[in-house]
Amino acid sequence: MNTPIYNAAMEYSCSDPVPFHMPGHKLGAGLPGGFASNIPLLDLTEIPGTDNLHNASGVILKAQQLAAQAFGADETFFLVNGSTCGIHAIISTVCSEGDKLIVSRDCHKSVLNAMILFGVRPVYMGLEFDRLCGISTAVIPERVEEALRLHPDASGVLITRPNYYGVCSDIEAIASIVHSYGRILAVDEAHGAHLAFAPCLPICAMEAGADICVQSAHKTLPALTQGAYLHVKGGRIDRDRLRFNLGLLQTSSPSYVIMSSLDVAREIMHTGAPHLMEGVADNVGRLHGLINELEGMAFITEDMLEYGKKDPTRIVINMRNLGKTGFETGEILRDSYNIQVEMADFYNIVCIATVSDRWEHYERLYCALKDMNYKFKDLPALADTNITEIIIPPKKMEPAEVMCKKTVRVGLHEAAGKVCACAVTPYPPGVPVICPGEVFVGEAVEYIYNILDSGGIVNGLSEKYEVSVVK
């Protein structure tokens, strides 16, 4: 058939890949038998008996109440437009136009987009950085307190936790500080929907004192893409305003297929916890032991990090001593071993492990890495020239202001000193290097070129490496 998307998806899925990437159902392996064949039967609309997401009073309300119980929330809302929609709903509920919002600089581009849409002024906080592993780790409570002290008029604080590498900031301490200033703590817990289901995992945001959080069920649970939860706890959130904003932002034709998968994922995890997640942690621990025997690779664990707790189910392997970048490693795994990782950077590969993975997946990954370790054992270790902390460039104007300005495209090599009119974002992880309204600085330009030269992908650039700047 002349159906490019369908053909490509089927070709990949039928090639017997090892999918260490989202969605967490892993090509349907984690979903109940028959779910896939029932998808056309689940694709319904608001008819008697199926309820209405935007005015839930029947089965959808019941499903959301069951989710709230499972995740330790007072109230849970199903999202069919992904965590992006939840982030937009949170920011438009917590902030009014012109308000400040304190955010960690590793925020996803959806946070930036929401601040542009709703005229919110960002106050960025830096993160701790681990030079040994070459990754950003956590937002420490002291940075949060400093930001609130300097900006007591901010409406709230939004933290990304865990980050793409599975590192978790101390939300309990941060919540205490934020609430002592009478402000709201929101958490982008997109990568942490599984944290509520086993004591061996870092504490989840709802239990740790967050007022509101969003979770991408499709990342770490057996749910379909775009399926997410929005959880609320306590009395600091205006829930009527939140409901209005969700109705404004979500599609008026919500997918019953996605909602059904959210319902099913909650049931699988809730009834199987903590056995299921402890099983994932055990499998990752076994893989860790095997990887430790390979001289060219290092399995990143919590005891290697100075700051933050590490999700033991998130697989992060540092390749620096192998002499291959993470970008190169990911490409070799895909092309030579049919193993697809979730993300790669200069020095690391990141794999998402969920309850849907079989030990066979971990074993194939180990065998491939063992083979690579032998093939490239004589290569020199990578230099540390690309170990770069997250840069916070100077801000010339607010992100929302840029949308009203005339822009022009210039070559990336000419961008230094100019005001960015777009988000320049390596993807994944989707964390902008330069945000609209910020000034291109030389070290940021160099960093972007290094990503491109190493095989990474950067959104916000044309094929000719041109960027949009304020005219």
Side-chain angles (χ1 to χ4, degrees):
M1 293 193 299
N2 189 19
T3 49
I5 298 174
Y6 176 82
N7 292 351
M10 290 302 298
E11 181 180 358
Y12 172 73
S13 298
C14 295
S15 68
D16 190 31
V18 175
F20 273 117
H21 57 81
M22 61 183 80
H25 61 73
K26 303 300 181 81
L27 306 181
L31 291 168
F35 188 95
S37 60
N38 286 334
I39 283 178
L41 305 179
L42 300 172
D43 192 16
L44 300 171
T45 189
E46 295 88 348
I47 56 175
T50 62
D51 205 1
N52 185 327
L53 179 63
H54 297 293
N55 187 30
S57 60
V59 293
I60 295 176
L61 176 63
K62 178 62 176 175
Q64 292 182 149
Q65 290 171 339
L66 289 169
Q69 294 171 18
F71 289 95
D74 290 345
E75 191 168 7
T76 292
F77 300 90
F78 281 7
L79 306 177
V80 294
N81 291 57
S83 282
T84 292
C85 170
I87 290 293
H88 289 194
I90 288 173
I91 291 176
S92 59
T93 299
V94 172
C95 301
S96 298
E97 185 176 4
D99 282 1
K100 293 179 182 176
L101 180 66
I102 297 169
V103 298
S104 53
R105 182 60 189 200
D106 64 340
C107 64
H108 189 260
K109 67 176 185 178
S110 61
V111 174
L112 173 63
N113 291 341
M115 291 189 289
I116 292 171
L117 285 170
F118 303 113
V120 175
R121 296 182 290 159
V123 175
Y124 293 115
M125 292 183 294
L127 297 96
E128 302 310 300
F129 186 81
D130 190 284
R131 294 197 64 82
L132 177 65
C133 304
I135 65 172
S136 296
T137 55
V139 175
I140 58 174
E142 291 82 358
R143 285 187 187 261
V144 177
E145 182 140 35
E146 180 185 18
L148 284 165
R149 181 175 55 80
L150 294 174
H151 303 276
D153 55 339
S155 294
V157 175
L158 193 154
I159 301 289
T160 304
R161 186 255 192 201
N163 66 12
Y164 229 120
Y165 302 97
V167 183
C168 296
S169 301
D170 186 351
I171 287 295
E172 288 180 287
I174 291 172
S176 178
I177 292 168
V178 173
H179 293 156
S180 73
Y181 280 81
R183 296 296 177 256
I184 290 170
L185 175 61
V187 178
D188 178 354
E189 203 169 45
H191 285 268
H194 60 298
L195 296 181
F197 296 106
C200 67
L201 304 177
I203 189 172
C204 65
M206 284 289 93
E207 188 179 351
D211 300 299
I212 189 166
C213 84
V214 64
Q215 298 174 336
S216 292
H218 70 93
K219 285 182 170 64
T220 59
L221 304 186
L224 298 182
T225 298
Q226 291 185 210
Y229 305 108
L230 179 61
H231 305 300
V232 182
K233 195 169 187 177
R236 296 182 180 88
I237 300 297
D238 184 340
R239 298 192 199 176
D240 287 336
R241 182 172 176 177
L242 177 63
R243 290 187 186 91
F244 175 84
N245 289 332
L246 283 171
L248 186 72
L249 294 162
Q250 292 219 82
T251 175
S252 58
S253 301
S255 166
Y256 277 81
V257 179
I258 294 174
M259 288 190 287
S260 295
S261 80
L262 288 171
D263 204 13
V264 167
R266 183 271 314 158
E267 175 71 2
I268 290 171
M269 299 304 295
H270 199 197
T271 58
H275 169 73
L276 288 174
M277 284 313 305
E278 288 177 346
V280 178
D282 287 345
N283 281 337
V284 174
R286 288 176 64 188
L287 177 66
H288 171 208
L290 293 170
I291 296 296
N292 272 359
E293 299 173 0
L294 306 178
E295 293 182 3
M297 303 170 193
F299 195 105
I300 296 180
T301 56
E302 185 174 316
D303 58 3
M304 298 170 65
L305 306 174
E306 186 175 357
Y307 297 98
K309 290 188 176 295
K310 170 75 165 51
D311 173 6
T313 69
R314 183 54 56 98
I315 300 168
V316 185
I317 304 172
N318 188 282
M319 315 302 296
R320 184 157 63 161
N321 288 335
L322 186 68
K324 290 289 182 182
T325 67
F327 299 122
E328 290 172 318
T329 301
E331 185 177 355
I332 293 168
L333 286 172
R334 178 176 62 251
D335 294 344
S336 300
Y337 302 96
N338 205 13
I339 297 171
Q340 180 62 54
V341 303
E342 169 63 27
M343 187 192 84
D345 62 23
F346 288 121
Y347 300 104
N348 306 285
I349 58 169
V350 178
C351 297
I352 292 181
T354 75
V355 298
S356 307
D357 289 299
R358 306 182 301 275
W359 173 247
E360 173 194 341
H361 291 163
Y362 301 92
E363 208 165 26
R364 281 177 61 181
L365 176 60
Y366 165 68
C367 290
L369 292 174
K370 182 180 179 182
D371 191 40
M372 289 177 62
N373 192 66
Y374 176 78
K375 287 180 179 178
F376 305 120
K377 62 182 179 180
D378 295 327
L379 291 179
L382 297 176
D384 62 2
T385 52
N386 287 325
I387 295 181
T388 307
E389 298 186 37
I390 287 181
I391 301 161
I392 304 181
K395 184 170 65 174
K396 189 73 175 286
M397 59 185 69
E398 298 299 338
E401 292 180 61
V402 177
M403 300 302 103
C404 303
K405 302 292 183 181
K406 291 184 178 180
T407 63
V408 63
R409 280 193 171 275
V410 300
L412 181 59
H413 65 284
E414 302 175 280
K418 294 180 170 59
V419 178
C420 184
C422 62
V424 181
T425 310
Y427 213 90
V431 176
V433 175
I434 301 283
C435 297
E438 292 179 340
V439 178
F440 277 98
V441 292
E443 56 185 331
V445 172
E446 181 181 359
Y447 178 68
I448 294 165
Y449 270 123
N450 287 342
I451 292 174
L452 295 167
D453 291 343
S454 300
I457 297 172
V458 180
N459 290 354
L461 301 179
S462 72
E463 292 182 3
K464 298 179 180 179
Y465 294 173
E466 293 178 331
V467 293
S468 180
V469 298
V470 174
K471 191 172 182 179

